Amino acid sequence: MSRVFNFSAGPAMVPEAVLKQAQAEMLDWQGSGMSVMEMSHRGKAFLSIAAKAEADLRDIMSIPENYKVLFLQGGASAQFAMVPMNLLGDKTSADYINTGAWSKKAISEAKRYCTVNIVAETKGDRAPKASELRFDPEAAYVHYTPNETIGGVEFDYIPDTGDVPLVADFSSSIISREIDVSKFGIIYAGSQKNIGPAGLAVVIVRDDLIGKAKDTVPAMFNYKTHADADSMYNTPPTYTWYFAGLVFNWIKQNGGLPKMAEVNARKAAKLYAAIDGSEFYANPVEVSSRSRMNVPFTLANAELDAVFLAEAKKVGLVTLKGHRSVGGMRASIYNAMPEAGVDALVAFMAEFERKHAN
Ligand code: PMP
């Protein structure tokens, strides 16, 4: 068996050391005689696993005490609805920044609940500049997507929304570098990219934003339900929670977020240099907005796309096909993608260009 470099946008690569640890603990977690997936979520063993995962995430992200960390089902998509359901209170509008496909999904869901002001919009080829943002001081909150997974567009700054809570869909860039959590009202992310297997949304929410939902909001969609029950109101996705904990611990043992950020910046720089240094490959995103997690690129001749994918696969570089809405290629290079994977991709791209460009 040999493992490939998997450039999937998510579910995505997991650190090999973590897979091995999960494998070693699969049949008998620390002498309990059972797998974590067989444990009651209310038992002592699982409660300790859950608490450790949260403590490690708090540690690596330096999450302040006045924030709750919720481990919820429904993925990031459920948060598109839960955010307005929980934050509107008596207000009737919210501000959204639109930078691409995932912003749009969040916007269309919010429109079911309130008036959506688009405070800035780009063609999906850049993040707006801070000076372009026109916030409404009466808005219940401001929502944005710090990293657009499909377009490969990432903010290189945190918008300043004053007293209006800032809500961020960090699905594809959470724990890829340090951020100042205190600048946010809510940070949420699906688990299947930097955190681990699918099945979980991690929601980091400031205390004062909990408890504002109307009575008509279902219990399962109310942050207060989950905050009061330590995310155990009903059965949580226990195995994914455990696995996320292994990943958080792996990050802690490997230099924390400063180290992740350093390696991620280097990986992205190498890949963009390969693209920019050739006449054959291109990336349409403005340089200051280029994602360090998802790198879309096209070949000069789209007829070669299938050949590129087939030849890449032969050398163990897989899932490079771009999103169906944009075509071309996309290399997702989350924390768990080793630098050697990017080096191999860059070498393959040069060789492919030499063979096929004329
Ligand atoms: N937001 C972003 C930025 C994403 O990349 C994704 C998934 N690719 C989602 C939301 C949706 O996540 P989920 O599938 O967990 O609902």
Side-chain angles (χ1 to χ4, degrees):
M1 189 208 68
S2 70
R3 285 179 51 79
V4 293
F5 291 119
N6 175 10
F7 293 90
S8 171
M13 281 186 86
V14 170
E16 194 164 302
V18 170
L19 289 172
K20 287 193 168 137
Q21 186 180 349
Q23 181 182 44
E25 295 176 343
M26 177 61 78
L27 298 185
D28 175 11
W29 182 81
Q30 298 191 6
S32 64
M34 60 176 90
S35 174
V36 174
M37 71 179 82
E38 300 172 305
M39 288 175 181
S40 163
H41 59 295
R42 311 232 179 253
K44 232 177 163 176
F46 186 75
L47 290 178
S48 75
I49 289 168
K52 167 104 168 66
E54 180 179 336
D56 282 349
L57 181 64
R58 283 185 175 277
D59 182 21
I60 59 178
M61 286 184 75
S62 305
I63 300 173
E65 291 211 339
N66 61 326
Y67 286 74
K68 293 274 185 303
V69 179
L70 307 178
F71 293 83
L72 307 182
Q73 300 192 37
S77 299
Q79 294 311 308
F80 294 163
M82 281 180 78
V83 165
M85 281 174 152
N86 283 272
L87 295 200
L88 281 169
D90 293 327
K91 304 230 174 186
T92 55
S93 74
D95 283 355
Y96 278 73
I97 302 175
N98 181 0
T99 47
W102 290 108
S103 300
K104 288 194 180 80
K105 288 241 169 132
I107 289 165
S108 63
E109 196 68 357
K111 279 183 176 166
R112 298 176 194 275
Y113 305 98
C114 64
T115 302
V116 169
N117 309 315
I118 304 297
V119 293
E121 187 161 41
T122 67
K123 293 198 190 77
D125 55 351
R126 65 180 183 94
K129 292 183 183 55
S131 60
E132 293 173 59
L133 304 173
R134 298 276 175 270
F135 297 121
D136 174 1
E138 289 307 311
Y141 61 88
V142 178
H143 180 282
Y144 83 119
T145 312
N147 184 68
E148 284 281 358
T149 321
I150 294 174
V153 171
E154 186 169 8
F155 280 74
D156 65 351
Y157 69 96
I158 297 173
D160 179 0
T161 57
D163 291 335
V164 179
L166 178 61
V167 177
D169 172 5
F170 265 99
S171 290
S172 47
S173 56
I174 193 166
I175 56 177
S176 66
R177 57 164 140 168
E178 291 170 287
I179 51 164
D180 181 352
V181 175
S182 74
K183 295 233 161 32
F184 296 87
I186 294 182
I187 287 170
Y188 65 87
S191 55
Q192 65 275 21
K193 301 161 197 301
N194 263 332
I195 295 176
L200 197 65
V202 170
V203 183
I204 302 165
V205 49
R206 209 174 62 209
D207 285 340
D208 63 292
L209 301 176
I210 297 172
K212 291 157 64 90
K214 297 211 160 66
D215 283 349
T216 49
V217 169
M220 278 298 289
F221 288 82
N222 192 328
Y223 290 138
K224 187 162 178 3
T225 307
H226 299 291
D228 288 350
D230 291 331
S231 306
M232 308 253 184
Y233 170 71
N234 68 331
T235 318
T238 49
Y239 195 78
T240 299
W241 191 332
Y242 151 77
F243 209 103
L246 299 185
V247 172
F248 300 151
N249 190 250
W250 174 82
I251 290 175
K252 218 170 130 170
Q253 305 303 326
N254 286 278
L257 296 189
K259 186 68 190 178
M260 296 297 129
E262 179 196 317
V263 178
N264 287 332
R266 208 161 56 221
K267 289 187 307 196
K270 283 181 177 177
L271 195 42
Y272 286 114
I275 293 166
D276 292 343
S278 100
E279 296 285 306
F280 186 70
Y281 301 106
N283 167 283
V285 180
E286 202 174 270
V287 170
S288 63
S289 302
R290 281 175 163 180
S291 171
R292 290 182 287 177
M293 295 284 104
N294 311 96
V295 183
F297 61 93
T298 51
L299 314 191
N301 175 2
E303 282 170 15
L304 288 172
D305 283 3
V307 185
F308 183 94
L309 291 166
E311 290 191 8
K313 191 171 176 195
K314 277 192 212 146
V315 293
L317 307 170
V318 308
T319 336
L320 281 159
K321 196 172 177 11
H323 189 269
R324 57 190 185 280
S325 64
V326 291
M329 306 296 150
R330 174 176 50 170
S332 294
I333 49 174
Y334 303 116
N335 288 344
M337 171 59 68
E339 193 163 355
V342 172
D343 291 341
L345 175 59
V346 165
F348 169 79
M349 287 166 69
E351 177 63 13
F352 188 87
E353 180 176 358
R354 197 186 57 72
K355 271 201 326 222
H356 294 279
N358 40 38

